[in-house]
């Protein structure tokens, strides 16, 4: 699958999805939404990609839905088509969370609207000091609970900070986003892809099944009781112990070397 509405490259187990409409601050269109939605499904079975970096070009990561191509067009759209669109945007975020491979968001600049939710749906967020962020849906008369933001944000920054971000809709600085735990790291612009690549390669070198199960459990356990979580974790860890990665980790420890998990889980 070769995307038409964004760029994709891969090397050494890391795939880079790069939004590339810098003249429109990498705003999304109907077509790019749909292609991103489908691409994150396709990546599930692309064994050569063990980790994904999601980034943008120019001075923005993503400014959300394109004002002309989407927002303007929707003013006169039938109700059924509006709902089909909002479901598609939610499907994109769901597919990012269901991809059982780590996603590192490399936030190169302004991040807002749908771009902010895509950042939140990623597993790790590395940002430049210019990457201000806003969940600005209430600013345009909509609900802050859009594209899964009200599910994602409290799990990242807590209910109080999530309420502020989703109800106020204001931009916050990269420094503030890091302070509340929304960004994992903030770096200078020239160091962004180096730092994101370092994280991505480390994640790509990790155990395939172990990474997949960790993301799956992070998605699911918040809605479980303590007893349910203990039962599931006990079972799934026993399953992981059957995987060749577990023996590789054991043998590597005995031999005092780094484990090579890639030989059991694709390149």
């Amino acid at each position: 699958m070769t995307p038409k509405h964004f760029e994709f490259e891969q090397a050494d187990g890391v795939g880079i999805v790069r939004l590339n409409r810098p003249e429109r601050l990498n705003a999304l269109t109907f077509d790019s939404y749909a292609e991103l939605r489908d691409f994150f499904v396709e990546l599930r079975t692309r064994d050569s990609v063990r980790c994904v970096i999601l980034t943008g070009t120019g001075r923005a990561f993503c400014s959300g839905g394109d004002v002309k191509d989407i927002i303007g067009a929707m003013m006169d759209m039938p109700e059924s088509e509006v709902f089909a669109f909002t479901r598609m945007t939610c499907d994109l975020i769901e597919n990012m969370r269901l991809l059982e491979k780590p996603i590192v968001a490399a936030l190169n600049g302004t991040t807002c609207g749908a771009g902010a939710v895509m950042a939140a749906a990623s597993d790790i967020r590395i940002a430049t000091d210019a990457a201000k962020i806003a969940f600005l849906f209430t600013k345009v008369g909509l609900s802050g609970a859009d594209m899964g933001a009200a599910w994602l944000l409290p799990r990242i920054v807590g209910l109080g900070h999530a309420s502020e971000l989703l109800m106020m809709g204001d931009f916050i600085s990269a420094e503030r986003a890091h302070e509340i735990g929304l960004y994992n790291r903030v770096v200078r612009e020239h160091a962004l892809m180096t730092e994101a690549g370092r994280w991505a390669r480390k994640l790509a070198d990790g155990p395939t099944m172990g990474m997949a199960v960790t993301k799956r459990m992070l998605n699911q356990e918040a809605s479980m009781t303590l007893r349910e979580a203990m039962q599931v974790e006990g079972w799934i860890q026993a399953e992981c112990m059957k995987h060749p990665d577990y023996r590789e980790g054991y043998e590597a420890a005995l031999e005092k070397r780094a484990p090579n998990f890639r030989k059991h889980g694709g390149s």
Side-chain angles (χ1 to χ4, degrees):
M1 182 177 178
T2 302
K4 297 179 180 178
H5 299 95
F6 52 89
E7 296 178 353
F8 180 75
E9 60 185 276
Q10 66 180 81
D12 195 27
V14 177
I16 301 177
V17 175
R18 187 183 302 276
L19 306 178
N20 192 20
R21 295 182 73 211
E23 73 285 357
R24 302 291 296 168
L25 300 181
N26 299 319
L28 301 176
T29 65
F30 291 113
D31 289 338
S32 60
Y33 263 122
E35 192 167 38
L36 283 165
R37 173 200 62 193
D38 296 342
F39 196 71
F40 279 102
V41 173
E42 195 271 341
L43 285 172
R44 296 176 192 175
T45 55
R46 190 177 289 202
D47 291 340
S48 59
V49 175
R50 299 170 60 88
C51 182
V52 179
I53 295 176
L54 177 62
T55 192
T57 305
R59 59 191 181 92
F61 169 70
C62 176
S63 59
D66 191 284
V67 174
K68 293 181 179 178
D69 292 352
I70 291 183
I71 299 174
M74 289 179 63
M75 293 300 170
D76 299 314
M77 190 177 286
E79 183 177 335
S80 61
E81 292 184 22
V82 171
F83 179 63
F85 168 71
T86 57
R87 276 300 315 159
M88 176 174 67
T89 66
C90 290
D91 287 344
L92 164 58
I93 299 305
E94 185 174 359
N95 290 344
M96 290 178 66
R97 293 306 308 165
L98 292 179
L99 177 65
E100 293 187 340
K101 302 175 182 183
I103 301 173
V104 177
L107 307 177
N108 54 294
T110 300
T111 302
C112 58
V117 187
M118 289 170 66
S122 301
D123 301 291
I124 302 292
R125 285 157 293 280
I126 312 294
T128 73
D129 48 13
K132 62 181 182 178
I133 188 169
F135 297 80
L136 42 64
F137 306 108
T138 58
K139 294 289 190 182
V140 294
L142 296 175
S143 166
D146 189 34
M147 296 176 66
W151 187 90
L152 292 161
L153 266 184
R155 296 161 67 94
I156 302 170
V157 300
L159 182 60
H161 292 311
S163 298
E164 175 187 347
L165 290 169
L166 296 182
M167 291 180 176
M168 299 294 287
D170 294 333
F171 275 99
I172 61 171
S173 67
E175 179 183 14
R176 177 59 176 162
H178 183 253
E179 183 179 77
I180 64 175
L182 182 54
Y183 292 171
N184 297 83
R185 292 286 187 278
V186 175
V187 298
R188 300 298 295 269
E189 182 180 358
H190 70 273
L192 176 65
M193 293 308 292
T194 299
E195 183 70 2
R198 184 179 69 82
W199 281 67
R201 284 189 298 274
K202 187 171 183 178
L203 290 164
D205 285 339
T208 306
M209 185 174 180
M211 289 289 181
V213 169
T214 299
K215 187 165 180 176
R216 187 186 308 171
M217 292 299 98
L218 285 168
N219 283 338
Q220 295 179 1
E221 287 194 39
S223 61
M224 294 181 185
T225 65
L226 174 63
R227 181 167 179 78
E228 288 169 341
M230 296 305 100
Q231 293 293 321
V232 171
E233 287 203 4
W235 171 76
I236 202 66
Q237 197 71 304
E239 290 297 305
C240 287
M241 289 175 179
K242 300 175 186 178
H243 195 278
D245 281 343
Y246 184 56
R247 177 166 292 278
E248 170 62 16
Y250 168 71
E251 292 177 352
L254 289 181
E255 297 167 11
K256 295 182 171 32
R257 61 174 175 81
N260 180 12
F261 295 124
R262 292 193 181 214
K263 66 182 180 182
H264 301 301
S267 60

